[in-house]
């Protein structure tokens, strides 16, 4: 049975060095906290940085031994790597860019080199410990290159990846000098998960625009396989928060923590006193200054709430040696001081400010006591604090104010949603939260609790694993039809035994790669040599069957001993003979269609028109990929109305739209050719959906091979034109 290997930058535990030796403490952070319970309940091993670098071999052994008891394995990183890989590329390059703070983004070659090295180190540790067929689940932005490194070195592994922060729009990711490497790194996974559909959509757009891969809904089609993209909003260990909240609620006041007793005294000292809770790690993405300004605006607008409402602001220290964070800390200190100085009294502080982390029990106490949770990040992947607050409100009394920029806002629709940059709107939201009727508060809390209780951390992890298994099953369906060595030998044996043979070979995408300009795809010398060898067999009729115009085919192949079928079957040229028109028709229809295509060329930079005898083709391979797809849909709609009741049809190929005379296709052309040239061995290879006509019309005994992994009527498939050439070279040798 396969084992699960979890890989993340930090382990769910930290190793600390003290005078008494090495000790283990739980790690802070959403991923470590959230996934730890799932890790403990499953047969998994967690690989990551333990928080220190051993100074001796004995220390290293001690650390490894301690981690084994936690089902963990270490990747040891020295100070230089931590500085350049973690503080550098991860948090000074990727973190600000992915959170839309491009002005804070640093591009440093040494950061990038360290990032590559650490991802390789993680791969080394995983490969040393992974058995054949194991499942590797890679987490977050520090390890974006790891999936592809593993794919190249251990293709037997099943690889999933989950991104816990936003994935930015194409306009931002394109700024990154190493953008292609980052996106290719992720595509090493079989399944890539995101918190929200927006993040998934941004990633798919970047894949199409940066790398040009075809995408079918949530499937990215690579040459050898397909990568699935899906959305899994991360949950929390709901039962853990609920049970602790119930336990704290049942405690007498004297048994509660000093902090909780202080809160109780504050609330009991005056009727109708309210607490607003703000919890964040110190970070410029969290919108803390904007939140403080909104609270100040609330106090200005509603002076009757002074001395009745306090904002408890818990800010957990983070990256204290980074200038932006130091400046942010200073800004927050000044804002808190100004608000307390402007509105505070001897018995009341408007803002109760804690700059530290707190133990879990104290956190639950804060959640339980707060009447309102004010969580307004400027950009946040999920924000699990919002879910933790809801889970802890066992008394059903509480209101959540949540930024629409947080991933959790997509799930917690009953919360009061705000734009964190709109200070006035956030101030109004605070007032609405404090004045919300009890019935409405309870109804909203219950609805959110039911939802996040159903989709907790265990459900999140199991749903991801289920989707990963489904992805592998879908891939295996394709692999069952992949041309293997055994299938090759069977086809080659059949080829050798038969007396008369016909080979139908498509050109673009099959024998030659695609080019932005169709005329640039002319045959190279290696291709000529290969086709000449195939055509030299006296028992073989080599037939190139393509959508290309006959003039181009004549220029490229007219002097060779091949049979040529051009324009999807409209023209036939048998070896040693002239071109024959298979279905003579008039071309007056072009006069009404051509102006429409010209208007689309004008509106779609990079597109062009190709005119053939029986068709007009609109190419958009060089156009912006998303604009091209949009224009293609519009064009098909417009042309469909124009050709109604005419003997015309529309073919949609790979980044082309072709309007052609009906009844002319590769299938009927191949059938006619076989009637005139009977054969007991037939082989057809093609990549486009226009080749499906060919595959369907040929005899059942024919060997049909699709180039690409899309669904097809062909019996088998190969990945790309290079594999086609390799296959045909082996066929010649056989």
């Amino acid at each position: 049975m396969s084992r699960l290997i979890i890989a993340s930058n930090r382990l769910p535990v930290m190793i600390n060095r003290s005078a008494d030796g090495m000790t283990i403490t739980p790690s802070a952070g959403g991923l470590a906290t959230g996934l730890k319970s799932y890790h403990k309940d499953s047969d998994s091993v967690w690989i990551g940085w333990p928080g220190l670098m051993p100074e001796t071999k004995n220390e290293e052994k001690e650390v490894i031994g301690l981690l084994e008891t936690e089902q963990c394995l270490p990747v040891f990183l020295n100070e230089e790597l931590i500085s350049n890989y973690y503080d550098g590329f991860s948090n000074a390059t990727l973190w600000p860019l992915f959170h839309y703070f491009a002005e804070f983004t640093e591009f440093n070659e040494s950061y990038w080199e360290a990032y590559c090295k650490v991802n390789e180190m993680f791969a080394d540790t995983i490969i040393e410990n992974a058995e054949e067929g194991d499942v590797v689940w890679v987490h977050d932005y520090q390890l974006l290159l790891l999936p592809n490194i593993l794919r190249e070195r251990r293709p037997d592994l099943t690889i999933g990846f989950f991104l816990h922060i936003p994935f930015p729009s194409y306009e931002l990711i394109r700024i990154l000098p190493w953008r292609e490497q980052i996106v290719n790194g992720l595509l090493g996974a079989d399944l890539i998960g995101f918190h929200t559909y927006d993040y998934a959509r941004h990633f798919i757009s970047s894949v199409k625009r940066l790398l040009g891969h075809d995408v079918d809904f949530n499937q990215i089609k690579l040459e050898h396989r397909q990568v699935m993209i899906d959305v899994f909003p991360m949950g929390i260990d709901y039962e853990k928060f609920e049970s602790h909240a119930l336990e704290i609620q049942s405690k007498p006041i004297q048994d509660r923590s000093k902090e909780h007793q202080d809160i109780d005294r504050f609330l009991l000292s005056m009727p109708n006193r309210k607490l607003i809770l703000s919890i964040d790690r110190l970070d410029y993405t969290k919108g803390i200054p904007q939140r403080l300004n909104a609270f100040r605006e609330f106090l200005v607008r509603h002076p009757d709430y002074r001395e009745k409402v306090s904002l408890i602001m818990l800010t957990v220290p983070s990256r204290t040696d980074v200038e932006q964070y130091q400046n942010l800390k200073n800004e927050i200190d000044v804002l808190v001081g100004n608000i307390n100085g402007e509105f505070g009294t001897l018995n009341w502080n408007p803002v109760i400010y804690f700059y530290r982390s707190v133990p879990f029990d104290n956190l639950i106490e804060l959640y339980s006591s707060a009447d309102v949770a004010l969580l307004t990040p400027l950009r946040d992947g999920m924000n699990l604090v919002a879910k933790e607050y809801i889970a802890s409100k066992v008394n059903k009394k509480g209101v959540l104010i949540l930024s629409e920029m947080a991933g959790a806002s997509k799930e917690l629709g009953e919360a009061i949603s705000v734009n964190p940059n709109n200070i006035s709107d956030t101030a109004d939201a605070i007032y609405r939260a404090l004045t919300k009727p009890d019935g409405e508060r309870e109804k909203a809390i219950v609805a959110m609790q039911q939802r996040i209780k159903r989709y907790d951390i265990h459900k999140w992890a199991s749903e991801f694993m289920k989707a990963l298994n489904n992805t592998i099953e879908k891939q295996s369906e394709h692999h069952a039809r992949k041309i293997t060595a055994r299938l090759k030998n069977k086809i080659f044996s059949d080829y050798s035994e038969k007396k008369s043979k016909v080979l139908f070979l498509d050109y673009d995408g099959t024998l030659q790669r695609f080019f932005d300009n169709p005329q640039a795809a002319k045959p190279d010398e290696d291709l000529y040599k290969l086709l000449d060898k195939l055509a030299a067999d006296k028992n073989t009729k080599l037939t190139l069957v393509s959508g290309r115009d006959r003039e181009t085919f004549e220029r490229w192949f007219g002097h060779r001993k091949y049979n040529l079928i051009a324009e999807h079957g409209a023209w036939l040229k048998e070896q040693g003979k002239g071109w024959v028109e298979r279905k003579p028709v008039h071309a007056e229809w072009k006069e009404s269609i051509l102006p429409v295509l010209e208007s689309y060329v004008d509106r779609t930079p990079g597109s062009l028109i190709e005119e053939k005898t029986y068709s007009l083709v609109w190419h958009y391979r060089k156009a912006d990929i998303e604009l091209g797809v949009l224009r293609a849909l519009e064009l098909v709609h417009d042309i469909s109305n124009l050709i109604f009741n005419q003997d015309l049809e529309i073919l949609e190929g790979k980044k082309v739209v072709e309007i052609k005379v009906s009844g002319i296709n590769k299938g009927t052309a191949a059938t006619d050719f076989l009637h005139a040239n009977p054969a007991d061995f037939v082989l057809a290879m093609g990549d486009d959906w226009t080749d499906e006509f060919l595959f369907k019309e040929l005899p059942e005994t024919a060997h049909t091979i699709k180039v690409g992994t899309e669904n097809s009527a062909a019996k088998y498939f190969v990945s790309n034109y290079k594999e086609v050439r390799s296959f045909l070279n082996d066929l010649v040798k056989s």
Side-chain angles (χ1 to χ4, degrees), residues 477-484 487 490-491 494 681-686 691-692 694-696 698-708 710-718:
E477 290 172 7
H478 288 294
H479 288 309
R481 292 173 42 234
K482 171 83 171 173
I483 288 286
T484 60
L487 286 172
K490 178 185 174 190
I491 295 171
D494 193 25
F681 176 92
V682 177
L683 171 72
M685 304 182 80
D691 297 302
E692 296 300 312
L694 178 64
F695 300 146
K696 291 174 183 176
L698 291 177
E700 180 61 31
T701 55
H703 300 283
T704 52
I705 302 174
K706 173 80 169 185
V707 183
E710 296 95 338
N711 292 332
S712 173
K715 295 176 181 177
Y716 313 114
F717 79 88
V718 294

Side-chain angles (χ1 to χ4, degrees), residues 63 70 74 103 126 147 203 217 270 383 391 404 528 531 568 660 686 697 700 705 710:
V63 170
E70 301 288 333
E103 67 273 21
I126 291 169
F203 177 72
F217 184 49
M270 185 181 292
N383 197 296
E404 64 188 41
Y528 277 133
L531 296 178
H568 299 295
K660 59 183 283 292
E697 292 290 335
E700 180 61 31
I705 302 174
E710 296 95 338

Side-chain angles (χ1 to χ4, degrees), residues 276 294-295 298-299 301-305 309 372 374 399 401 416 424-437:
I276 301 171
F295 182 63
F298 163 76
L299 294 176
R301 293 185 186 181
H302 303 281
D304 50 317
Y305 274 91
V309 175
V372 176
L374 182 61
V399 180
I401 301 174
I416 297 176
S424 177
D425 186 42
T426 306
D428 287 343
I430 294 171
Y431 179 75
R432 281 186 284 137
L434 292 170
T435 57
K436 197 169 187 178

Side-chain angles (χ1 to χ4, degrees), residues 393-399 414 436-450:
K393 301 308 291 182
V394 291
N395 61 1
K396 316 299 180 190
K397 295 178 181 178
V399 180
E414 293 80 7
K436 197 169 187 178
D438 290 345
E440 290 183 21
R441 283 192 298 167
E442 183 170 337
K443 184 179 179 181
I445 285 284
V446 168
M448 290 186 282
Q449 284 179 339
Q450 289 174 345

Side-chain angles (χ1 to χ4, degrees), residues 15 81 198 225 352 382 391:
I15 304 295
L81 284 176
D198 287 345
R225 59 195 181 86
I352 303 169
M382 174 51 67

Side-chain angles (χ1 to χ4, degrees), residues 589 592-593 636-650 659 662:
W589 59 271
S592 60
I593 301 297
V636 169
H637 178 268
D638 290 347
I639 296 297
S640 297
N641 294 328
L642 281 175
I643 67 173
F644 186 69
N645 283 336
Q646 294 190 57
D647 189 24
L648 299 172
E649 62 184 354
I650 301 172
I659 301 92
S662 299

